[in-house]
Amino acid sequence: SVTCEPWFIIDRRLCPPYDSRFRGYGWNKVQQVALVNASGFSFHVHPAAFLVHRPHPKSQAQGIYKDASSNAGGGVSPAK
């Protein structure tokens, strides 16, 4: 399946601290984007820039996350 992840560029001096409890795999980038948004930042799409995702081997953490998701009754939702 094709999935997308939220990527953004921000000055690290302005970025709210990353919640280090998000380790491993799953929802860490989504949580960071939600925090930045809730902190009042606005997002803009650069008209002449893009990112390319380079294929890589699946991580062990991804398998553990997906196993936990399917054992939790069909899916894991991001923290609210």
Side-chain angles (χ1 to χ4, degrees):
S1 71
V2 176
T3 59
C4 297
E5 296 178 294
W7 288 97
F8 63 102
I9 299 170
I10 188 170
D11 184 326
R12 72 174 62 193
R13 296 169 295 181
L14 302 176
C15 189
Y18 179 75
D19 188 339
S20 62
R21 292 175 293 176
F22 286 97
R23 290 180 279 198
Y25 183 88
W27 296 106
N28 52 347
K29 291 183 208 78
V30 172
Q31 182 66 27
Q32 182 70 11
V33 169
L35 174 61
V36 170
N37 182 56
S39 297
F41 286 83
S42 58
F43 296 85
H44 306 276
V45 176
H46 192 289
F50 60 92
L51 294 171
V52 175
H53 181 266
R54 296 179 61 193
H56 56 80
K58 297 203 181 285
S59 71
Q60 182 181 16
Q62 181 181 13
I64 293 167
Y65 178 83
K66 288 190 176 191
D67 287 346
S69 295
S70 56
N71 291 333
V76 174
S77 299
K80 294 184 180 189

